[in-house]
Amino acid sequence: MNAPGFESSILGSKEHWDWVYARELASFREIGDEGEVWFGEDSVDKMVRWAAEHVPSSDGPMILEIGSGNGALLFSLVEQDYSPERLCGIDYSSDAVELAKNIAQQRGAQDVAFHTCDFLIQDPPPILQEQESSGCIDSWDLLLDKGTYDAIALGDKDELGRLPVFQYPSRAGRLIKPGGFLLITSCNFTEEELRNNLTTPESGLMYHSSIKYPSFTFGGQSGAKYSSVAFQKANK
Ligand SMILES: C[S@@+](CC[C@H](N)C(=O)[O-])C[C@H]1O[C@@H](n2cnc3c(N)ncnc32)[C@H](O)[C@@H]1O
């Protein structure tokens, strides 16, 4: 995988995110603060606009956010008429899940499902009867990721010296319906790196499109602060 110079960091550890969300949950309970919107509102708006164009709410899509944090992205989809009972957020930090559930309650979006789940080792539980009865794992029309791939890429190597992020493409690919999408926003990887890393034979994903962000120039190099890239799984 193309991540030169990426070493493990505290930001890639569950302890770190448990600490972050224990604080955010306490703050929500104390003063009603919903917590940090990673990469700001602009990235949320852009991801929701991409979804509206390619996976419209009128099709009743099943959408899963990987590492949903406080749930802000999913709540924005609800505001754009996506059916809350077809949306699910998973996060390995149980306090993040608790925070998202509390916010959902307050916003009247309690039909959005939130589950504690480690994306790299567990499958998200079915949220609808139809998913349960079909028994299909690849039942999601759209997977969303905002900052989670970045966090996973900073995780510790295993005993064989492999970074946990190596598992990401196949874990994502197995959950997506044939013809479905992954939309990922990253601040640590360029569009080219995301394309190289995610379009593997194991993921079954192909590049679909990308979201444009304003670019900046620094030291003669130009680039954008974030990259949002969409991938599509081949139809059977
Ligand atoms: C940078 S935060 C982004 C949170 C949220 N997506 C947002 O945009 O506000 C990364 C999130 O990924 C979660 N996370 C990291 N590794 C995970 C894993 N293996 N399984 C599930 N969640 C994970 C963290 O707990 C954290 O909520």
Side-chain angles (χ1 to χ4, degrees), residues 182-203:
L182 164 68
L183 175 63
I184 177 166
T185 295
S186 162
C187 67
N188 281 344
F189 293 89
T190 63
E191 175 177 336
E192 196 190 343
E193 286 169 339
L194 290 174
R195 287 175 68 159
N196 287 338
N197 297 348
L198 274 303
T199 53
T200 64
E202 298 78 33
S203 74

Side-chain angles (χ1 to χ4, degrees), residues 30-214:
E30 227 171 277
I31 56 168
D33 180 2
E34 294 186 356
E36 179 151 3
V37 176
W38 286 87
F39 312 154
E41 298 288 351
D42 183 45
S43 65
V44 174
D45 290 348
K46 286 192 156 82
M47 290 177 82
V48 170
R49 254 183 276 143
W50 184 95
E53 188 179 344
H54 300 284
V55 191
S57 59
S58 51
D59 292 350
M62 301 285 305
I63 301 180
L64 176 74
E65 184 180 2
I66 306 164
S68 46
N70 63 5
L73 181 56
L74 293 172
F75 299 137
S76 291
L77 288 173
V78 174
E79 282 167 14
Q80 298 303 315
D81 289 338
Y82 284 83
S83 304
E85 60 281 354
R86 302 178 80 83
L87 305 182
C88 178
I90 54 168
D91 204 292
Y92 67 1
S93 165
S94 57
D95 278 345
V97 169
E98 190 58 25
L99 173 64
K101 283 182 178 172
N102 278 244
I103 297 172
Q105 195 74 32
Q106 195 179 69
R107 288 175 170 240
Q110 56 275 16
D111 288 341
V112 179
F114 289 99
H115 292 288
T116 306
C117 172
D118 185 333
F119 167 69
L120 293 181
I121 52 180
Q122 295 167 303
D123 289 325
I127 57 167
L128 289 184
Q129 187 61 48
E130 66 199 55
Q131 280 180 310
E132 192 154 8
S133 40
S134 77
C136 289
I137 299 296
D138 58 347
S139 56
W140 301 93
D141 296 286
L142 173 61
L143 254 57
L144 294 170
D145 179 325
K146 184 161 68 70
T148 303
Y149 184 76
D150 291 342
I152 291 176
L154 295 169
D156 280 335
K157 287 180 182 159
D158 65 15
E159 61 284 355
L160 298 173
R162 293 172 306 191
L163 287 164
V165 76
F166 276 106
Q167 300 169 62
Y168 187 105
S170 60
R171 297 292 304 169
R174 76 195 290 268
L175 297 177
I176 301 171
K177 257 186 198 163
F181 297 92
L182 164 68
L183 175 63
I184 177 166
T185 295
S186 162
C187 67
N188 281 344
F189 293 89
T190 63
E191 175 177 336
E192 196 190 343
E193 286 169 339
L194 290 174
R195 287 175 68 159
N196 287 338
N197 297 348
L198 274 303
T199 53
T200 64
E202 298 78 33
S203 74
L205 296 173
M206 300 165 300
Y207 170 75
H208 176 268
S209 55
S210 59
I211 297 175
K212 296 291 164 233
Y213 288 91

